[in-house]
Amino acid sequence: MAETNATTGTGEQASRPRKAGWKYIGPGIVVAATGVGAGDLVATLIAGSTFGYTLMWAAVIGCVVKISLAEAAGRWHLATGRTLFDGWRSLGSWTTVYFAIYVVLWGFIYGATAMSSSALPIVALFPDGPGLKFWAIVTGLIGLAFVWFNRYAVFEKVMTVLIGIMFVVVVYVAARVVPDVGASFAGLVPVLPDGSLLYTLGLIGGVGGTITMAAYGYWVNAKGWSNPSWMKVMRLDNRVAYITTGIFVVAMLIVGAELLHASQIALTSGDRGLIDLGKVLEDRFGTGTAKLFLVGFFATSFSSLIGVWHGVSLMFADFVERFRAPADPAEEHAGPAVVDRQQRSLPFRAYLLWLTFPPMTLLWLDEPFGLVIAYGVLGAFFMPFLALTLLWLLNSSRTPSQWRNGWLSNGMLALAGLLFVVLCVQQVRDLPW
């Protein structure tokens, strides 16, 4: 599309930058940092420790799948001037019912998970200080205050620093264990060792794949990108972010393969597995490397916490706003002004409080059995819901013809939808019924 100063269909001035420069990068870094949590790192480490370099190809495919999903979400926002929830609402009232139930239940469980995950490395760094519950509450309150009093620009800068710490630490640790370059390249050839199918699917679909992928379009608007003139910039931003995530995942596979696979060291499942890795690193490389890794662990967990506190609260605010307002073709164009208003809205702040305070009760109480099952079922259904609804929206008249899916986008979204349906079925089967 040629550079233009004409107004868009929404009446906004098209302000296309001269080129998709690096200085514009931001929302993709935010969504990538939010999507990669401590649990994802453990899953990747376990895949590496179990199968060595064999599943390296799955990490690459996973990176491509996430690029396709995030690009589709960003393209919808820019091409239509409508938010993702506005698009979902156009598909029928069932999307409203599903999202309402999901976002409330998911937020309750995730709040406790994020606070505990952020507290674990602090407790490991300061073993003589307060315990896990204290630090979990502190990290939750810091996240609440940070998102409550700051707008997107500051939020993006802090997230960029955190993902920078994550990236440097993990790549440094991977370099310290001295990767086997030949085996790494051999791992790019798709093979499925016995018993590796679920690990493979999880590696492709799990790392960086959460509800926050749906928040990407909202962060694109918050950045000031609000019409198709920013499409090339958004695509560069998205690719840089998920290629960075891909390098991150490969580095963790290398650590698992070199440090754990050869020594047959097993990690504890869940976030505590990273504490086990810290101890292995201390034995192998000394206290300094172990403490540096724990700092990276904290950056990983806390970036996910504040990313969800901001992104999902923004989605909830948009959900409430769209639910209250009747459908209107002339409604306000999605853009930075809308996002700024939503960040100051009562629903945004109410969801922030919901993510922070009710989940603190789970730090003392065992999660109710029925709640665990409901959360697992809803959580398993979200990623196929996202992939398949984007496939629907971007092939319909809701999207301007020039920005509808081509064969490559359709193929990648269909592949993502199929992958996440299989993962969904497996996750539901694995629940403690």
Side-chain angles (χ1 to χ4, degrees):
M1 190 172 71
E3 185 171 350
T4 178
N5 289 319
T7 56
T8 66
T10 61
E12 291 193 2
Q13 188 75 15
S15 55
R16 181 181 180 181
R18 294 185 180 182
K19 60 181 180 179
W22 294 95
K23 64 181 180 180
Y24 298 111
I25 300 300
I29 294 295
V30 170
V31 75
T34 304
V36 179
D40 296 311
L41 300 191
V42 174
T44 308
L45 280 168
I46 291 175
S49 67
T50 306
F51 299 103
Y53 291 96
T54 310
L55 300 182
M56 189 74 74
W57 62 274
V60 175
I61 291 178
C63 178
V64 174
V65 167
K66 304 307 184 309
I67 288 173
S68 302
L69 274 170
E71 187 276 340
R75 176 155 47 95
W76 166 263
H77 276 248
L78 294 181
T80 66
R82 302 167 69 187
T83 65
L84 187 54
F85 184 77
D86 198 18
W88 286 339
R89 188 181 62 168
S90 73
L91 300 179
S93 58
W94 64 275
T95 59
T96 300
V97 174
Y98 171 77
F99 185 79
I101 296 172
Y102 175 81
V103 77
V104 171
L105 188 55
W106 181 88
F108 180 53
I109 302 294
Y110 182 82
T113 302
M115 288 186 277
S116 296
S117 180
S118 297
L120 276 170
I122 301 177
V123 173
L125 283 167
F126 306 103
D128 297 328
L132 183 71
K133 294 183 180 65
F134 173 85
W135 285 117
I137 292 171
V138 168
T139 56
L141 293 176
I142 291 173
L144 170 67
F146 173 76
V147 175
W148 189 291
F149 293 109
N150 287 292
R151 295 292 174 261
Y152 176 79
V154 176
F155 166 71
E156 182 190 284
K157 287 182 174 63
V158 171
M159 290 291 279
T160 301
V161 170
L162 290 173
I163 198 171
I165 294 171
M166 292 162 52
F167 184 83
V168 169
V169 168
V170 170
V171 171
Y172 168 76
V173 172
R176 286 295 304 268
V177 302
V178 189
D180 184 331
V181 177
S184 298
F185 280 105
L188 296 175
V189 178
V191 292
L192 279 176
D194 291 342
S196 68
L197 179 60
L198 293 181
Y199 286 97
T200 303
L201 292 174
L203 196 58
I204 295 173
V207 181
T210 69
I211 186 176
T212 52
M213 291 196 73
Y216 179 58
Y218 292 86
W219 285 324
V220 161
N221 290 154
K223 182 73 170 176
W225 308 344
S226 56
N227 58 59
S229 66
W230 290 94
M231 201 70 74
K232 286 187 177 180
V233 176
M234 180 274 293
R235 285 169 170 163
L236 174 65
D237 171 73
N238 174 45
R239 289 166 188 163
V240 169
Y242 278 99
I243 288 172
T244 302
T245 302
I247 295 171
F248 193 76
V249 173
V250 167
M252 292 304 287
L253 267 176
I254 289 170
V255 173
E258 292 292 344
L259 200 61
L260 306 176
H261 181 64
S263 304
Q264 296 297 302
I265 298 172
L267 297 180
T268 305
S269 61
D271 299 348
R272 292 183 182 274
L274 294 183
I275 300 297
D276 295 345
L277 179 59
K279 294 175 181 176
V280 173
L281 289 170
E282 184 172 8
D283 293 340
R284 178 84 173 265
F285 301 112
T287 303
T289 298
K291 289 189 179 299
L292 182 64
F293 176 76
L294 290 172
V295 170
F297 177 4
F298 173 77
T300 302
S301 298
F302 193 66
S303 65
S304 293
L305 186 152
I306 61 174
V308 166
W309 263 231
H310 186 276
V312 184
S313 296
L314 200 55
M315 291 181 67
F316 182 77
D318 185 58
F319 160 73
V320 173
E321 187 172 289
R322 306 290 168 182
F323 180 74
R324 288 174 174 172
D328 180 5
E331 65 184 75
E332 188 174 8
H333 182 66
V338 173
V339 172
D340 187 63
R341 184 188 70 237
Q342 290 174 340
Q343 287 178 115
R344 291 180 279 107
S345 69
L346 179 61
F348 180 88
R349 292 180 170 175
Y351 194 74
L352 269 178
L353 296 173
W354 174 252
L355 280 168
T356 306
F357 291 106
M360 288 179 182
T361 59
L362 298 182
L363 299 174
W364 279 271
L365 303 175
D366 291 333
E367 298 170 5
F369 182 72
L371 194 61
V372 172
I373 292 179
Y375 169 72
V377 171
L378 287 172
F381 272 92
F382 186 80
M383 289 305 288
F385 169 79
L386 176 62
L388 297 175
T389 53
L390 282 171
L391 194 62
W392 186 349
L393 289 169
L394 292 168
N395 281 289
S396 72
S397 59
R398 299 170 180 84
T399 305
S401 58
Q402 73 182 104
W403 300 114
R404 290 177 197 163
N405 280 357
W407 66 269
L408 181 60
S409 295
N410 278 328
M412 292 307 303
L413 287 178
L415 174 64
L418 177 62
L419 167 70
F420 290 124
V421 166
V422 173
L423 285 170
C424 168
V425 171
Q426 186 58 42
Q427 187 170 341
V428 171
R429 288 178 58 188
D430 289 343
L431 287 170
W433 300 102

